[in-house]
Amino acid sequence: MDCMELLDLIKKGKDSTLQFKKEFNSIDALAAEICAFANTKGGRIVIGVSDTGEITGVHDLNRLNQWISNAASQKIDPPVEVTTQNLLCEGKLVVLVDVPLGPNKPYAVQKTEFWLKVGADKRRATREELRRLMQASGGLYADEMPIMRAHIDDIDMDRFRRFYEQEYGMSLIDDEEAYRALLNLKLMQGPHPTLAGLLLFGNKPERLRSQFIVKAVAFVGTEIVGREYLDSEDITGTLYDQYRDTMAFLKRNLRKVQRGRDVNLPGVWEIPQIALEEAVVNALVHRDYFMNASVKIIIFDDRVEIISPGRLPNTVSIHTIKQGIQIARNPILLSFVPKLRIPYRGIGSGIRRMIFECRQAGLPEPEFIEDESKEEFKVIFARIAQ
């Protein structure tokens, strides 16, 4: 970066990936800034520039370099590999500190202070956010965690036995055998079903996890205004039940079109069924189950929105998911879904298949949006008058 580029950067102002600091009064304050970036999406700290964008310069470079090195390697656990650049601008020395997105979250200052970037500011992480940080780096999976209020009676044992016999070709003769099978498949942990066990084979899992459902609404018009809607449903049950009933909701609220087919042939969905299936399954399987929020299906006159709680997993972006890159946020659910008559392939082809199917139908590509402020991922399909 040169001085002109720095001046352009200053004009844009600070945000969740850019921080200006006139100076640091302590190494702990510097460590907290580095930690916050590493725990979020990485970013750049510009030292020697005030919050208002005035270039004030660094006055003790040797001390600052020592603080940066010690903060990144000793104050933060695990250590963070930062890079620095010294830049002369308007006759004053500015130091740029680039912090990568951390692959080994969560990072802590002095082992106890976990910081996150929130917009241009930072704050300490909450307990739930710490869980999600561990999930992002593959150190913790929500679907493996036991549901402490649940017991084996909350598992539909008849459904599980039928599945086991069909999938593995063996009958579970007694309850003890069934219990051992549930343990081996990580559907139970001790006396409690795991979240995966509850979502896959639970008796009305919404009784214990009321937010892990699908909220579906078909509105009149193109905005969420007023109370007028065409259809509304809270879709509950196991993961398979939610998939089946969500597809039924979409089917009854979308149009059939001929799309160049003979008038004597049955119409096809205005949005390709395969594209919708991929989006619904992804929303159910890849959502962040550390967030107490529901998957949302919203149908407007001009579009369909499928909204999944949680940001994209660590190191994944809109660009990389279009290339077929995926990270298993809920590995147990992922391993079971193809066995439960839910059309999931598990090879990272879902996003590309949605794009392909829409192109083949002469429709715009789906829009993929990661809303960091709301912590949700959204897929938007256009509805085109046919």
Side-chain angles (χ1 to χ4, degrees):
M1 177 177 288
D2 58 28
C3 183
M4 291 301 297
E5 290 173 324
L6 175 62
L7 293 173
D8 287 340
L9 197 65
I10 291 172
K11 289 177 184 177
K12 293 178 182 178
K14 60 184 182 179
D15 56 25
S16 61
T17 60
L18 180 65
Q19 185 71 39
F20 301 133
K21 283 291 180 181
K22 182 177 179 180
E23 61 182 347
F24 282 100
N25 295 320
S26 72
I27 188 173
D28 289 338
L30 173 60
E33 292 292 342
I34 295 173
C35 177
F37 277 123
N39 275 332
T40 314
K41 290 205 168 185
R44 172 174 286 167
I45 307 170
V46 182
I47 306 172
V49 176
S50 70
D51 284 343
T52 61
E54 178 189 0
I55 298 177
T56 56
V58 170
H59 303 293
D60 191 340
L61 180 61
N62 289 334
R63 185 184 71 169
L64 178 59
N65 281 335
Q66 185 176 16
W67 277 11
I68 293 170
S69 175
N70 290 342
S73 63
Q74 298 178 27
K75 287 283 185 176
I76 299 174
D77 184 37
V80 180
E81 295 185 6
V82 303
T83 57
T84 63
Q85 178 185 354
N86 299 338
L87 182 66
L88 274 174
C89 194
E90 297 182 353
K92 297 175 183 177
L93 179 65
V94 174
V95 176
L96 311 179
V97 182
D98 288 308
V99 184
L101 184 155
N104 300 309
K105 300 173 182 177
Y107 294 86
V109 177
Q110 304 285 32
K111 299 185 183 295
T112 59
E113 298 179 14
F114 300 86
W115 294 91
L116 290 174
K117 288 292 291 182
V118 182
D121 297 318
K122 70 179 185 302
R123 62 169 170 76
R124 284 182 170 86
T126 65
R127 180 180 176 183
E128 289 303 312
E129 286 168 336
L130 278 176
R131 286 183 173 182
R132 299 210 295 275
L133 288 173
M134 294 180 69
Q135 174 184 247
S137 61
L140 185 68
Y141 299 110
D143 60 347
E144 292 185 358
M145 297 188 69
I147 307 301
M148 304 308 289
R149 291 171 50 212
H151 299 86
I152 197 166
D153 290 344
D154 292 300
I155 296 293
D156 185 337
M157 295 302 289
D158 289 338
R159 177 183 286 204
F160 176 67
R161 280 189 167 95
R162 289 194 301 272
F163 162 81
Y164 195 88
E165 184 171 1
Q166 180 178 345
E167 184 64 27
Y168 301 106
M170 294 182 289
S171 298
L172 298 170
I173 299 173
D174 54 34
D175 290 345
E176 183 62 29
E177 275 194 0
Y179 173 68
R180 286 199 301 270
L182 287 164
L183 286 175
N184 291 337
L185 293 170
K186 294 188 177 182
L187 302 176
M188 294 280 295
Q189 190 177 119
H192 305 290
T194 60
L195 178 62
L198 192 67
L199 290 175
L200 294 169
F201 299 104
N203 284 310
K204 297 184 177 180
E206 65 275 5
R207 292 181 303 174
L208 295 163
R209 287 292 183 267
S210 60
Q211 293 299 315
F212 295 167
I213 64 174
V214 178
K215 290 184 173 290
V217 184
F219 283 99
V220 174
T222 60
E223 300 293 337
I224 301 177
V225 292
R227 299 182 179 181
E228 189 177 5
Y229 57 88
L230 299 171
D231 196 0
S232 176
E233 182 179 356
D234 283 352
I235 299 170
T236 61
T238 64
L239 217 60
Y240 173 77
D241 297 333
Q242 291 184 40
Y243 162 74
R244 178 198 61 208
D245 294 345
T246 298
M247 294 305 298
F249 181 89
L250 288 165
K251 186 174 183 179
R252 71 174 182 259
N253 284 289
L254 293 178
R255 299 181 292 259
K256 284 287 190 75
V257 296
Q258 293 306 121
R259 196 170 286 137
R261 295 158 61 91
D262 189 283
V263 293
N264 295 316
L265 293 175
V268 295
W269 290 19
E270 59 180 297
I271 299 170
Q273 179 174 340
I274 292 176
L276 290 170
E277 286 175 348
E278 293 284 358
V280 169
V281 174
N282 281 352
L284 293 172
V285 173
H286 291 300
R287 63 150 293 171
D288 187 341
Y289 280 103
F290 280 123
M291 296 186 66
N292 286 319
S294 303
V295 171
K296 294 189 282 290
I297 307 293
I298 308 178
I299 300 177
F300 297 99
D301 288 351
D302 62 344
R303 67 193 186 280
V304 174
E305 298 186 1
I306 298 176
I307 304 169
S308 179
R311 302 178 190 175
L312 291 172
N314 201 26
T315 72
V316 176
S317 66
I318 300 292
H319 174 71
T320 57
I321 62 174
K322 287 183 177 181
Q323 304 305 311
I325 303 299
Q326 66 167 359
I327 291 179
R329 177 180 267 158
N330 302 299
I332 302 177
L333 294 181
L334 285 175
S335 69
F336 272 89
V337 160
K339 304 171 184 176
L340 296 172
R341 294 179 294 144
I342 298 175
Y344 179 77
R345 295 157 186 85
I347 57 174
S349 63
I351 298 294
R352 289 184 293 174
R353 187 173 292 271
M354 290 180 223
I355 294 171
F356 173 80
E357 293 293 333
C358 288
R359 283 177 178 170
Q360 286 291 98
L363 297 173
E365 289 186 10
E367 187 177 359
F368 305 99
I369 299 173
E370 183 183 20
D371 190 326
E372 294 186 12
S373 62
K374 294 182 179 179
E375 295 198 72
E376 62 187 25
F377 180 72
K378 183 184 297 187
V379 181
I380 303 176
F381 294 98
R383 300 181 71 191
I384 306 297
Q386 302 276 340

